Amino acid sequence: MIVYILCFILFIVGLYGVVTKRNLIKIIIGLAIMEYSVNLFLILIGYVNNGTAPILPVPDALKNKPFVDPLPQAMILTAIVIGLATTALLLSIAIRLYRKYGTFDIRKINSLKG
Amino acid sequence: MEIYLILMLVLMILGSIYSLHAKDLLSAVISYGIVGFALVIAFLLLQAPDLAIVQVVVEIITLIIMIAVIKDSTSEELKSKFNPKFYIYFAVVAIFAILFFYIFDRVTGTLSQFGEHFTRMATAYIEGSQETGSANLVTGVIFDFRAYDTLGEATVLFTAVIGVLTILRIKGKKKEK
């Protein structure tokens, strides 16, 4: 149970960074930390005590042996790669904003004029 | 085993707190790397080797892109005068933390304890693993049972690549004379 709570604290730290920081790079780091904590939480749910990785070198190798749930791992594998794509998109938007305004401060980036 | 996992999670929390409070953006990015690589070790402890390999690659690429952005702009953190609005932001975070913790408490009450998971939904995938011919159940699920998910993931990835290329394009449209 303490593992779940620590994972929750990590999520709240990321949320704190997104809400309170003014620097665009710090906001992106906060978003990435939130994403990591959610990924880790779903893997934690699928863990089985003394389980092995879900790999069968020969058929029926894991019969009557505990092994971890393969379904969350397959889902999170997709989510990690999509997280990389969104982070790259956010960083490219940040660098374009820096070229236009000369700062990463989100208070000075406030004109919506084209 | 669980004590190592707790150790890694504490390391991740400390790294993320330092990363958000660093005075220099380069050190913020480096300590963000601590979070990602501690996550790799946590995945290895949780018996997920596929995820650990993918996470290493993704973390290195993210760090390279972030360092490239910082080298291209500035690594100085903004000069922070004390802002009276900080209390409002902190209150917002606290309210959301309490709200999320209430929901989290309700949800984890219905889940089984850590390490006592019972595979319900994955049972069909495990029983049908002989038909895929894959030794690794995770890749069996990704590329056989849920191949359309992987197709959607590839679509999202290419859309993001097109977006990045469009945003970073130096030349705009030529103005008509």
Side-chain angles (χ1 to χ4, degrees):
Chain A
M1 198 61 198
I2 189 167
V3 193
Y4 291 163
I5 291 173
L6 282 173
C7 204
F8 181 77
I9 292 172
L10 190 65
F11 183 86
I12 293 298
V13 170
L15 183 73
Y16 164 78
V18 171
V19 174
T20 60
K21 292 293 162 186
R22 288 189 298 157
N23 196 319
L24 265 177
I25 300 289
K26 294 263 176 92
I27 290 174
I28 294 169
I29 288 176
L31 275 174
I33 288 168
M34 283 162 80
E35 179 203 318
Y36 282 175
S37 75
V38 172
N39 288 349
L40 183 59
F41 182 66
L42 289 176
I43 295 298
L44 283 174
I45 288 175
Y47 183 72
V48 177
N49 274 332
N50 303 317
T52 54
I55 295 172
L56 311 158
V58 288
D60 296 339
L62 290 177
K63 204 140 205 171
N64 301 322
K65 276 189 204 167
F67 60 96
V68 299
D69 196 345
L71 187 60
Q73 294 193 13
M75 297 288 100
I76 297 303
L77 200 63
T78 312
I80 288 174
V81 179
I82 291 177
L84 169 69
T86 50
T87 310
L89 194 60
L90 281 171
L91 282 167
S92 64
I93 292 172
I95 193 70
R96 286 307 276 189
L97 284 172
Y98 183 82
R99 295 235 179 97
K100 186 159 171 61
Y101 291 93
T103 177
F104 277 133
D105 192 344
I106 54 167
R107 296 218 190 120
K108 291 181 181 145
I109 307 172
N110 52 9
S111 79
L112 282 175
K113 283 177 265 181
Chain B
M1 207 276 327
E2 202 179 339
I3 189 77
Y4 296 118
L5 198 61
I6 292 170
L7 211 66
M8 280 303 132
L9 269 162
V10 170
L11 188 65
M12 283 171 78
I13 292 170
L14 290 179
S16 55
I17 290 173
Y18 182 74
S19 164
L20 293 173
H21 283 279
K23 293 284 176 208
D24 185 67
L25 281 186
L26 198 60
S27 51
V29 170
I30 299 297
S31 40
Y32 166 68
I34 294 175
V35 183
F37 289 117
L39 183 64
V40 172
I41 299 172
F43 280 155
L44 279 179
L45 289 173
L46 289 168
Q47 302 288 337
D50 311 271
L51 285 177
I53 294 166
V54 172
Q55 180 67 37
V56 166
V57 175
V58 162
E59 186 62 32
I60 289 171
I61 294 174
T62 313
L63 284 183
I64 288 173
I65 297 173
M66 279 190 176
I67 289 173
V69 166
I70 286 169
K71 290 294 273 185
D72 204 25
S73 55
T74 175
S75 77
E76 283 175 23
E77 170 64 312
L78 307 165
K79 290 192 186 78
S80 58
K81 285 178 288 183
F82 183 74
N83 188 2
K85 271 189 182 171
F86 179 78
Y87 290 121
I88 301 175
Y89 296 148
F90 201 80
V92 168
V93 174
I95 289 168
F96 270 102
I98 292 166
L99 188 70
F100 285 152
F101 189 77
Y102 175 69
I103 298 168
F104 173 82
D105 195 40
R106 293 289 299 272
V107 168
T108 48
T110 65
L111 288 174
S112 48
Q113 289 289 312
F114 174 66
E116 290 166 14
H117 176 69
F118 177 68
T119 55
R120 289 182 296 262
M121 198 173 157
T123 314
Y125 294 146
I126 293 164
E127 283 168 358
S129 67
Q130 301 295 326
E131 297 164 20
T132 64
S134 165
N136 191 339
L137 290 183
V138 176
T139 52
V141 171
I142 287 179
F143 289 114
D144 200 304
F145 295 111
R146 287 183 172 266
Y148 281 116
D149 277 358
T150 313
L151 195 67
E153 176 205 343
T155 313
V156 171
L157 207 61
F158 278 109
T159 313
V161 168
I162 291 170
V164 169
L165 288 179
T166 313
I167 290 165
L168 290 183
R169 188 178 55 174
I170 306 289
K171 281 182 182 174
K173 267 186 185 171
K174 280 181 186 170
K175 283 177 185 171
E176 290 178 15
K177 285 178 184 174

